[in-house]
Amino acid sequence: MSKIKAAILGSGNIGTDLMYKILKNEGNMELALVAGIDPDSEGLARAQAKGIRTSHHGIAAILEDPEIKIVFDATSAKAHKLNAQSLRVKGKLAIDMTPAAIGPFVVPTVNMKEHIESMNVNLISCGGQATTPLVHAVNRVVPVHYAEVITTAASVSIGPGTRQNVDEFVRTTANAVQQVGGAKLARAIPVFNPAEPPINMTNSVYAVIKEEFDEGAVISSVQSIVAEISSYVPGYRLKGIPFIDYRETPWGRLPTVVIMNEVAGDGDFFPTYAGNLDIMTASAYKVGDLYAAHFLGSKEVSR
Amino acid sequence: MKIPRLTDTTLRDGDHAVSHSYTPEMVRTIVRNLDEAGVRIIEVSHGSGLNGSTIQQGFSTHSEFDLIKVAVETAKQAKIASLFVPGIGTSDELREAAEIGISVIRIAVHCTEADVTEQYFRLAKELGLEAVGFLMMSHTQPANVLVEQAKLMESYGADCVYVVDSAGALVQSGVRERVSALKEALTIEVGFHAHNNLGLAIGNTMTALEAGADQIDGTLRGLGAGAGNAPSEVLVAVLNKMNLDTGINLSILMDVAEEVVAPLMETPIVIDRDNLSSGYAGVYNSFLLHVRHAAEKFGVKASEIMEELGKRNAVAGQEDWILDVAVELAEKKGLKV
Ligand SMILES: NC(=O)c1ccc[n+]([C@@H]2O[C@H](COP(=O)([O-])OP(=O)(O)OC[C@H]3O[C@@H](n4cnc5c(N)ncnc54)[C@H](O)[C@@H]3O)[C@@H](O)[C@H]2O)c1
């Protein structure tokens, strides 16, 4: 069976973990190239060791190869803003893993179908991939007036890029909780915890509801989306059963759905505590695979 | 010993103790009295810092920017400060507070995460603010780690770095080591912020001064998160007895503490079982009321939740773990969740 050729741009942590995910899965993509800018990067060496073609001349090698149809950008928001246009001109789909947010936000379990013809899609953030589907799962049963998501990750798993721009994480994730999750109002708060041994990524979602609703229906909607997510992020699970807590809010005393979640990584390149990195690369893989299937016209995209 | 600069944070740390219910009238009265008494720095914001009005931290009944505005307008001599926690607040709120007229921003992070503050120190300096670094939960790290982190803040432009005993878990030797290490390593000022879980808020503050601290914190009547802080009026009385004249009028402070602040307390702040277990386990003080809420909802003891949170090394901003711990404890006991 023929496969769609894909390339990874950026041979850092995210790019390298994604490479292992593409190599270990029998999907619709074939990894044709890993391109970076640092000839001595560990990521490029690891790609070569796996027999993958590499380049340290950045995007050039990708643009020269007309066979490459899907490009995962794992560089930085700044670099992606420079690269997006040339990828588009060459007719290559960009799956943007940086916070550049040029294209629409996508989450595999929520809105792939809407954006299947898009040429540039953005994966939000680790917290966004973990929490927006949970908000969506509540919102498809009863409108969510306000959602607040707390993402806690081990300090050692948070790179310098994120640390230098916490504002960007906060804004991008909160925007996605509204746009993808469907909440009318939203907040996103990151927490970095330095405990040793490092903790797994955890997420909490508070969804404030203004009207009467069927608690059981909300809980089963959440449980079913968690099952779907764990089909492509195996370490994604609920902590306890979601419950309703009454809270004093600016809109009165209201029922608040509390959902607690934990994400353990698959240990492809990062240690398993780094669920925050794993959910990003696993989601990117899933998105890429759905597009590849669409390009092949062989399988129906489920959502 | 040097005469320290006292920052009164009744209207910030105390915000936790009144469940974020300060009104513009209360702020006006408290600021007027502190200002008249000669307190130079008055901190006003949500207890968890600018933009802290959330489910996780507790919603405020009044807009904190309105409260800050009242404070700025009321103070004749004193400068108004706010707390800022990266991730809870963003540059937008920092800019807005500066626009309203705060003079000092205190940028707080868990004491191993100073590198997330660079963006905000640089912005604060651009905005012309005095910028103070707050190393929260300082009991969790040895002096050498705090020095490393404080130096990062110094390199970003901090004017002072505080050793913050958020859990009220430090004893005097621990305070002395940490404050003197910072004094030795930094060229900027060093501060100390106490909590009273082990009954050491005043004692630890005096130890910090002996170790060279330049700035200290207090709250009227000790009104603050959990077991509360070093009471400002007691600090001034003690400093007077030590012949360290801060120029602050003790009798005004005593009156406002007694007549204005004490009536705000739902119950007196004492070192009860919950507060002692919190300090003993090294748990962030602002968790207290959230822990009590969860304990009641899930039928477990607050002190058990505190103990488990301490074991898990929860840091500031992790109120959601309280629910997680309460659910697990309830399940272990076979209670229906
Ligand atoms: N680390 C996380 O938790 C996480 C989670 C979600 C999203 N992200 C995002 O993913 C991206 C990568 O993160 P990371 O942790 O792998 O960072 P990283 O620094 O490890 O990797 C980035 C790599 O991109 C390379 N690069 C930079 N500019 C380039 C260019 N113009 N062309 C080709 N290569 C270039 C760098 O040499 C480096 O190898 C960032 O945008 C980050 O914000 C990271």
Side-chain angles (χ1 to χ4, degrees):
Chain A
M1 196 184 87
S2 66
K3 294 194 177 199
I4 299 293
K5 288 202 168 147
I8 295 171
L9 181 62
S11 54
N13 287 328
I14 290 269
T16 308
D17 194 69
L18 176 62
M19 172 183 86
Y20 287 115
K21 286 201 163 50
I22 299 177
L23 293 177
K24 83 172 180 186
N25 283 290
E26 273 302 320
N28 299 301
M29 289 180 291
E30 173 190 330
L31 183 58
L33 178 67
V34 176
I37 42 169
D38 176 5
D40 303 322
S41 79
E42 186 187 347
L44 291 183
R46 282 172 176 262
Q48 282 156 12
K50 286 284 179 186
I52 308 293
R53 182 155 71 96
T54 64
S55 160
H56 62 265
H57 300 294
I59 196 171
I62 292 177
L63 296 176
E64 278 160 19
D65 186 342
E67 296 271 291
I68 293 172
K69 298 292 180 207
I70 297 179
V71 180
F72 293 94
D73 193 335
T75 59
S76 65
K78 212 169 143 196
H80 183 68
K81 284 174 187 160
L82 295 173
N83 291 334
Q85 182 60 14
S86 34
L87 291 172
R88 183 183 298 272
V89 168
K90 294 278 183 181
K92 299 181 194 301
L93 166 72
I95 299 179
D96 174 20
M97 304 171 77
T98 79
I102 293 173
F105 296 134
V106 288
V107 175
T109 49
V110 181
N111 65 349
M112 283 299 295
K113 223 173 200 167
E114 266 170 61
H115 300 297
I116 199 72
E117 303 302 336
S118 181
M119 287 304 288
N120 184 315
V121 290
N122 179 273
L123 284 181
I124 316 170
S125 64
C126 54
Q129 286 299 327
T131 61
T132 56
L134 298 174
V135 175
H136 167 76
V138 178
N139 195 63
R140 68 189 173 188
V141 178
V142 60
V144 172
H145 182 67
Y146 170 78
E148 192 172 302
V149 304
I150 319 294
T151 291
T152 303
S155 292
V156 285
S157 72
I158 304 297
T162 309
R163 287 176 175 276
Q164 282 154 16
N165 204 345
V166 175
D167 276 11
E168 197 167 51
F169 174 95
V170 168
R171 282 196 203 107
T172 304
T173 308
N175 285 341
V177 170
Q178 290 178 285
Q179 291 171 28
V180 180
K184 196 157 171 237
L185 303 167
R187 287 283 306 266
I189 305 174
V191 179
F192 308 148
N193 181 311
E196 283 296 334
I199 56 157
N200 286 344
M201 178 201 208
T202 61
N203 298 283
S204 299
V205 172
Y206 301 98
V208 175
I209 311 292
K210 275 181 136 177
E211 45 206 275
E212 298 253 316
F213 66 102
D214 177 350
E215 290 180 19
V218 165
I219 292 168
S220 38
S221 173
V222 170
Q223 286 169 330
S224 87
I225 211 157
V226 168
E228 272 184 75
I229 299 166
S230 63
S231 73
Y232 63 90
V233 190
Y236 187 93
R237 67 175 188 96
L238 282 175
K239 295 195 85 182
I241 299 166
F243 61 89
I244 314 299
D245 199 10
Y246 277 78
R247 295 292 180 111
E248 296 299 337
T249 75
W251 315 280
R253 188 175 163 77
L254 290 174
T256 301
V257 183
V258 182
I259 309 167
M260 292 184 288
N261 151 263
E262 179 173 60
V263 188
D266 231 12
D268 289 318
F269 176 52
F270 307 122
T272 54
Y273 57 75
N276 46 312
L277 300 152
D278 195 74
I279 194 168
M280 201 66 186
T281 55
S283 303
Y285 175 79
K286 178 73 177 172
V287 168
D289 194 52
L290 290 170
Y291 275 102
H294 177 68
F295 294 159
L296 290 168
S298 63
K299 292 181 194 164
E300 210 219 331
V301 174
S302 63
R303 215 175 282 271
Chain B
M1 252 189 318
K2 179 176 169 180
I3 298 170
R5 181 173 93 167
L6 172 68
T7 296
D8 184 280
T9 177
T10 309
L11 292 169
R12 198 282 300 166
D13 211 320
D15 177 63
H16 291 295
V18 300
S19 300
H20 322 290
S21 66
Y22 279 128
T23 64
E25 292 66 41
M26 292 174 195
V27 171
R28 191 172 294 117
T29 309
I30 292 172
V31 170
R32 194 191 336 106
N33 280 282
L34 288 170
D35 187 48
E36 262 175 40
V39 173
R40 282 165 57 200
I41 311 288
I42 302 169
E43 190 172 49
V44 185
S45 68
H46 187 284
S48 302
L50 294 175
N51 211 24
S53 181
T54 54
I55 296 187
Q56 174 91 337
Q57 330 283 343
F59 282 115
S60 304
T61 42
H62 289 80
S63 144
E64 86 189 311
F65 290 125
D66 289 351
L67 301 182
I68 293 170
K69 189 152 185 272
V70 168
V72 167
E73 287 167 359
T74 306
K76 294 199 182 98
Q77 315 278 334
K79 292 179 179 174
I80 303 302
S82 291
L83 187 76
F84 180 89
V85 178
I88 292 177
T90 64
S91 305
D92 291 345
E93 290 78 40
L94 183 49
R95 282 202 183 86
E96 186 156 353
E99 182 99 347
I100 294 171
I102 64 164
S103 312
V104 182
I105 190 74
R106 306 211 292 178
I107 301 176
V109 285
H110 186 75
C111 60
T112 52
E113 311 298 308
D115 58 357
V116 306
T117 62
E118 179 170 8
Q119 170 181 26
Y120 308 105
F121 273 111
R122 304 234 185 267
L123 176 61
K125 296 320 286 180
E126 250 173 65
L127 295 168
L129 301 175
E130 180 183 329
V132 175
F134 245 46
L135 294 173
M136 295 193 284
M137 300 286 277
S138 275
H139 75 280
T140 61
Q141 299 298 324
N144 64 315
V145 174
L146 299 183
V147 163
E148 225 173 74
Q149 297 288 311
K151 279 186 146 173
L152 286 176
M153 289 178 157
E154 182 176 31
S155 74
Y156 305 149
D159 298 295
C160 171
V161 177
Y162 263 67
V163 171
V164 180
D165 187 14
S166 318
L170 283 174
V171 294
Q172 278 153 297
S173 53
V175 173
R176 191 173 296 113
E177 272 165 35
R178 289 168 173 78
V179 171
S180 46
L182 257 60
K183 272 309 285 181
E184 209 160 290
L186 305 182
T187 60
I188 54 176
E189 295 203 332
V190 173
F192 180 72
H193 175 99
H195 276 274
N196 203 36
N197 303 64
L198 300 177
L200 291 172
I202 294 286
N204 279 348
T205 306
M206 293 307 132
T207 302
L209 290 177
E210 282 168 11
D214 308 280
Q215 301 191 19
I216 57 175
D217 284 8
T219 58
L220 294 164
R221 197 82 168 199
L223 186 80
N229 306 92
S232 297
E233 64 281 12
V234 181
L235 282 173
V236 170
V238 171
L239 291 169
N240 285 349
K241 290 280 183 195
M242 295 163 74
N243 294 320
L244 294 171
D245 183 7
T246 53
I248 297 171
N249 183 313
L250 177 60
S251 70
I252 298 180
L253 282 195
M254 290 202 293
D255 287 349
V256 64
E258 188 75 21
E259 289 162 22
V260 179
V261 174
L264 296 178
M265 296 179 175
E266 274 175 34
T267 53
I269 293 183
V270 293
I271 307 172
D272 58 12
R273 181 174 60 187
D274 297 350
N275 279 324
L276 179 55
S277 59
S278 165
Y280 198 66
V283 174
Y284 197 73
N285 260 301
S286 64
F287 284 12
L288 176 70
L289 300 181
H290 302 267
V291 167
R292 286 191 178 147
H293 171 86
E296 192 177 320
K297 180 169 172 72
F298 294 102
V300 294
K301 251 165 58 182
S303 52
E304 292 175 301
I305 299 178
M306 293 290 189
E307 200 181 316
E308 182 60 25
L309 286 167
K311 281 189 201 145
R312 293 194 191 182
N313 298 307
V315 303
Q318 287 198 278
E319 283 81 347
D320 52 324
W321 277 20
I322 296 168
L323 294 169
D324 186 37
V325 166
V327 169
E328 279 185 19
L329 289 173
E331 277 170 354
K332 253 189 222 155
K333 293 190 168 175
L335 298 172
K336 200 181 158 306
V337 183

